[in-house]
Amino acid sequence: MRLILGGIERGKIDIQQVGDDGFHCEYASFSSSFSSGTPVRVFASINHGNKSSTVHDTAFIWVEDVTTIHFKACLVQGGQGAGGNTTIDWFAFQGSQSGVYQGETSFTLFTTGTKCSRVAFPQAFSLVPKVQVTVKHGTSNQKQDAMSVWIANVSTSQFEVCLRESRTFDGPHSNIAVNWLAYDNYPSSWEAKELSEVTFSYNEVPAAENNYALCKNVNFTNPFYAPPVVLTTVINGGNNNANTACSWLEEITNSYFRVCIKDDAGYDGQRGTIIVDYLVIGAASTTVTAYPCLYTDLLVVVKAAARHTKNRSALRTVVHSETCACLSKTYVQHVEIIPSIILEAVQVIIPDKHTQT
């Protein structure tokens, strides 16, 4: 599943079952929107679909073999390997983005433990920016190079990004980089819906019923017709940037997501504040599912119309004015897709007996 927006793409990779060794890779193809000559940046986050009955173990994800036509997303399950079905949300773009600094920082060879790198922005921001990071492997199928990644000491002029091997003494590790982007306000071309953070304080204690992770539910400002693409980055707010921190999303639904973290403090250690930045880039659809304002406005109108309308053509006419009004408020540039939105609303929301011509 993916959405294409002229040089920008986003989507979801659904992995039904990770292999017995906890290692899995899968390709996602781009459209023809990317051209040669400029690197394509890919950012990814992990979740467990739209319904999760338990808190899973951590997982380590990265991208590799990134070209203008595709990329490969890989994961290694941590803990006891109780990963189950997994979804990787991803976002890709090429070239400069308005108001955004972006790049790739490479890590020299290291054999074990944690390695950090300082990244300086080309020019200082006026406010402390949001930063997204994703690990990128230069050599394919290197399970032993699975890494936790987090950032620390974010300021208006720089930040630190840290890697830690998923298994101790699993090196040597080489040919590893981190894609990064920083911004204080996302470009309108991304069609992002929300940008915020979740804070886990130093005095919170992980519980057994959450698999000794710290978890919180976050409601979307407006609900979606389908679960949107959500990117996350974990920030170590403690005094020691080498303390490992990792985050993941248990579930992403139409109305909320559940975010979880684990860190070196474990159950009874001394932890610092952990922050998870998140960016909601909209549902992976080109029509009604991408527009949260339609969820309340259009749903009410269409359901009411369905009780009195017996054919699809008449129903389109009834909902057309409400759809136009909703789009004109915040998405006027997308008026050309109104017919598709109406058709999808009619087909998806209205029972079969009301969609017969």
Side-chain angles (χ1 to χ4, degrees):
M1 183 184 296
R2 68 183 180 188
L3 173 63
I4 304 163
L5 290 169
I8 298 171
E9 298 191 23
R10 62 178 180 258
K12 292 175 178 282
I13 302 173
D14 295 318
I15 301 171
Q16 296 305 311
Q17 186 64 49
V18 176
D20 293 338
D21 62 351
F23 175 46
H24 183 89
C25 292
E26 192 162 323
Y27 274 99
S29 297
F30 299 134
S31 71
S32 58
S33 61
F34 294 132
S35 57
S36 60
T38 303
V40 177
R41 306 283 185 213
V42 180
F43 297 86
S45 293
I46 192 168
N47 62 79
H48 294 282
N50 58 15
K51 185 177 182 181
S52 177
S53 59
T54 185
V55 175
H56 295 76
D57 289 324
T58 57
F60 311 91
I61 66 170
W62 68 92
V63 298
E64 60 185 44
D65 192 18
V66 180
T67 71
T68 57
I69 62 172
H70 66 212
F71 73 94
K72 184 162 65 172
C74 296
L75 69 88
V76 167
Q77 295 289 357
Q80 301 299 313
N85 296 338
T86 301
T87 299
I88 295 177
D89 283 10
W90 60 270
F91 174 61
F93 64 82
Q94 184 180 51
S96 61
Q97 306 290 304
S98 177
V100 177
Y101 293 137
Q102 45 98 0
E104 177 182 299
T105 184
S106 298
F107 285 75
T108 57
L109 183 145
F110 65 106
T111 58
T112 192
T114 299
K115 193 175 184 69
C116 297
S117 177
R118 189 179 301 273
V119 178
F121 303 130
Q123 185 175 339
F125 289 90
S126 57
L127 300 173
V128 176
K130 299 295 185 182
V131 178
Q132 300 286 337
V133 294
T134 291
V135 177
K136 177 184 175 183
H137 286 188
T139 305
S140 295
N141 302 317
Q142 296 296 297
K143 175 185 175 182
Q144 69 273 19
D145 286 336
M147 297 282 162
S148 296
V149 60
W150 67 94
I151 61 175
N153 301 320
V154 183
S155 71
T156 57
S157 60
Q158 62 186 11
F159 70 96
E160 287 185 275
V161 58
C162 297
L163 299 177
R164 180 164 180 175
E165 59 186 353
S166 60
R167 293 176 54 183
T168 304
F169 304 124
D170 214 14
H173 308 292
S174 62
N175 206 13
I176 299 175
V178 171
N179 285 339
W180 64 269
L181 62 86
Y183 52 92
D184 54 17
N185 192 18
Y186 50 77
S188 59
S189 60
W190 290 4
E191 295 197 343
K193 304 298 185 290
E194 296 183 30
L195 170 66
S196 193
E197 64 184 35
V198 183
T199 300
F200 295 87
S201 63
Y202 68 92
N203 58 357
E204 295 183 55
V205 179
E209 57 265 29
N210 284 334
N211 195 18
Y212 294 103
L214 294 174
C215 299
K216 291 185 178 181
N217 287 1
V218 178
N219 292 323
F220 295 127
T221 303
N222 293 294
F224 294 83
Y225 275 114
V229 170
V230 182
L231 297 182
T232 60
T233 291
V234 63
I235 305 172
N236 188 341
N239 295 325
N240 184 357
N241 66 350
N243 285 337
T244 304
C246 61
S247 70
W248 68 98
L249 300 184
E250 273 302 320
E251 57 193 20
I252 304 175
T253 74
N254 298 15
S255 58
Y256 76 94
F257 65 85
R258 190 181 192 199
V259 58
C260 297
I261 67 160
K262 284 190 175 182
D263 62 5
D264 277 347
Y267 176 70
D268 57 358
Q270 181 62 49
R271 70 168 38 83
T273 298
I274 301 294
I275 298 171
V276 179
D277 278 352
Y278 67 87
L279 177 66
V280 183
I281 315 181
S285 170
T286 57
T287 55
V288 70
T289 54
Y291 302 95
C293 72
L294 296 180
Y295 185 87
T296 53
D297 294 342
L298 190 56
L299 183 62
V300 172
V301 171
V302 172
K303 281 189 172 181
R307 291 194 291 267
H308 307 288
T309 307
K310 300 302 182 183
N311 63 78
R312 184 178 297 169
S313 177
L315 189 56
R316 287 184 198 153
T317 301
V318 172
V319 301
H320 185 276
S321 61
E322 185 68 22
T323 308
C324 290
C326 178
L327 286 178
S328 66
K329 294 174 185 176
T330 50
Y331 303 109
V332 67
Q333 68 270 33
H334 299 290
V335 169
E336 72 276 2
I337 69 167
I338 285 177
S340 297
I341 290 178
I342 294 172
L343 180 60
E344 181 170 328
V346 171
Q347 291 175 328
V348 173
I349 301 173
I350 306 306
D352 290 342
K353 67 179 181 179
H354 292 300
T355 58
Q356 302 302 313
T357 56

